[in-house]
């Protein structure tokens, strides 16, 4: 099976903080040309700052721009099951390849509550559903045994693990080994190759916004059996990640690194972190070091 890379696409904004759909389409083309699939309305896409209607239009614009050339997954997750289903119905209508559902945020959930939540959403749509675990942001974590239970649902196709712990990722991978068809996608950018070597279906990367060709290179080399080249590209990707993320909150640093390459992406909606002049200078130097500016 050929493994696949998805980029958790940034959402581009104008100076007045309205969505810049033209610039977002340009970012879609950039990723497609590099060979990456698209995830929209995720953490790196400022999904918590988007309205219901904007998420729907954003997805329509992305799917239209992709025009079947790569796969598109969109995040429908909201704190309430009710609104998650309403969004998922819209994405079902649009015709995406997968619907990611981030764990509810702000609301503290039991594991039984998570099973009910994800199962109810998966029951409501035809499009395959992917669990999305990022406990540092939501304060709710999908335990491996919960993932095992949900993996038996006929319309739950896999999980995106953005927890950052190799132990949890390995536990999810074990679920995938036990239950045929349950796909595991790695979120942490320093674990892309490790995850592939241990059975992951692919990765969903935020850093790929800034380094699309390096991300695609890891997957291409791995799929062709060129382990040495995959390791070389992963080393570049991981080193850039370490240096960039040392400057501040990871999604904000990725957006700013991209902004310093192409100002049309704009800043994130407030009150998201805006890097200061010192951080901008550090990021610019880093981009020059990696030949990206």
């Amino acid at each position: 099976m050929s493994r696949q890379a998805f980029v958790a696409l940034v959402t581009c904004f104008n100076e007045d903080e309205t969505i810049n759909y033209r610039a977002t389409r340009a970012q879609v083309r950039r990723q497609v040309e590099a060979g990456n699939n698209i995830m929209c309305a995720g953490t790196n896409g400022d999904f918590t700052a988007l309205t219901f209607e904007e998420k729907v239009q954003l997805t329509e614009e992305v799917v239209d721009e992709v025009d079947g050339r790569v796969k598109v997954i969109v995040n429908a997750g909201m704190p309430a099951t009710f609104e998650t289903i309403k969004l998922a119905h819209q994405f079902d209508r649009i015709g995406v390849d997968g619907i990611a559902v981030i764990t509810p945020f702000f609301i503290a959930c039991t594991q039984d509550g998570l099973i009910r939540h994800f199962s109810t959403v998966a029951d409501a749509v035809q499009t395959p559903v992917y669990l999305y675990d990022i406990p540092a942001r939501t304060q709710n974590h999908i335990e491996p045994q919960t993932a095992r239970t949900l993996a038996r649902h006929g319309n739950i196709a896999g999980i995106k693990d953005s927890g950052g712990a190799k132990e949890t990722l390995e536990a999810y991978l074990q679920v995938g080994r036990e239950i045929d068809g349950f796909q595991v996608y790695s979120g942490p950018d320093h674990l892309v190759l490790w995850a592939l070597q241990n059975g992951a279906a692919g990765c969903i990367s935020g850093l790929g916004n800034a380094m699309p060709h390096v991300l695609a290179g890891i997957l291409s080399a791995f799929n062709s059996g060129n382990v040495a080249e995959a390791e070389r590209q992963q080393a570049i990707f991981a080193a850039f990640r370490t240096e960039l993320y040392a400057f501040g909150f990871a999604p904000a640093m990725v957006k700013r690194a991209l902004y310093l390459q192409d100002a049309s992406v704009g800043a994130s909606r407030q009150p998201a972190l805006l890097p200061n002049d010192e951080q901008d200078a550090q990021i610019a130097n880093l981009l020059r070091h990696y030949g990206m500016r």
Side-chain angles (χ1 to χ4, degrees):
M1 179 187 73
S2 180
R3 315 299 174 83
Q4 298 186 326
F6 286 78
V7 167
L9 193 75
V10 299
T11 301
C12 302
F13 294 100
N14 298 302
E15 288 188 8
D16 63 359
E17 296 193 2
T18 57
I19 296 179
N20 186 335
Y21 291 107
R22 183 176 180 178
T24 301
R25 281 176 175 264
Q27 290 304 314
V28 171
R29 291 193 297 274
R30 180 168 172 263
Q31 294 299 336
V32 171
E33 288 162 6
N36 298 320
N37 301 284
I38 303 293
M39 177 181 175
C40 63
T43 304
N44 283 85
D46 290 297
F47 84 96
T48 56
L50 303 181
T51 68
F52 184 102
E53 293 76 16
E54 285 174 332
K55 290 173 188 175
V56 174
Q57 183 175 349
L58 175 66
T59 303
E60 290 174 333
E61 300 265 353
V62 169
V63 169
D64 180 69
E65 189 63 45
V66 163
D67 194 26
R69 291 175 291 171
V70 299
K71 293 182 178 179
V72 177
I73 293 176
V74 59
N75 169 45
M78 292 298 289
T81 308
F82 180 82
E83 186 172 9
T84 301
I85 289 173
K86 286 187 68 177
L87 263 176
H89 279 155
Q90 292 297 315
F91 300 151
D92 216 15
R93 171 188 60 79
I94 293 167
V96 297
D97 297 284
I99 297 173
V101 180
I102 198 168
T103 49
F105 42 98
F106 190 78
I107 299 170
C109 297
T110 64
Q111 295 301 301
D112 285 344
L114 291 176
I115 290 170
R116 288 194 303 275
H117 174 73
F118 288 115
S119 298
T120 303
V121 175
D123 286 342
V125 294
Q126 300 298 312
T127 306
V129 167
Y130 292 85
L131 315 175
Y132 180 1
D133 190 63
I134 183 168
R137 303 271 72 83
T138 67
Q139 302 304 306
N140 284 309
H141 169 54
I142 303 169
E143 297 289 348
Q145 184 55 46
T146 299
R148 185 173 285 104
T149 298
L150 289 165
R152 296 187 174 92
H153 188 290
N155 198 37
I156 293 179
I159 188 168
K160 178 196 177 189
D161 170 43
S162 292
K166 189 180 287 187
E167 295 76 14
T168 302
L169 179 54
E170 169 56 32
Y172 290 150
L173 288 166
Q174 182 57 37
V175 174
R177 297 182 194 111
E178 295 171 9
I179 300 175
D180 187 48
F182 186 75
Q183 301 174 329
V184 178
Y185 287 88
S186 169
D189 292 301
H190 63 298
L191 295 177
V192 174
L193 183 56
W194 181 90
L196 297 175
Q197 291 171 327
N198 286 275
C203 67
I204 301 177
S205 166
L207 192 65
N209 283 287
M211 274 189 159
H213 292 282
V214 175
L215 175 63
I218 298 170
L219 274 291
S220 176
F222 180 84
N223 285 329
S224 66
N226 189 342
V227 176
E229 177 61 13
E231 290 176 342
R232 186 185 76 83
Q233 298 275 15
Q234 175 67 80
I236 295 169
F237 207 51
F240 181 70
R241 170 192 178 274
T242 298
E243 294 181 74
L244 180 64
Y245 291 3
F247 299 144
F249 179 54
M253 295 303 104
V254 170
K255 185 74 174 284
R256 201 62 175 183
L258 186 55
Y259 173 85
L260 293 176
Q261 297 174 76
D262 179 1
S264 71
V265 301
S268 293
R269 275 185 176 158
Q270 292 306 289
L273 173 67
L274 287 176
N276 56 39
D277 290 343
E278 180 182 356
Q279 289 171 315
D280 273 355
Q282 292 172 322
I283 295 169
N285 286 334
L286 183 63
L287 294 174
R288 281 190 286 269
H289 175 75
Y290 281 89
M292 298 162 62
R293 192 179 186 200

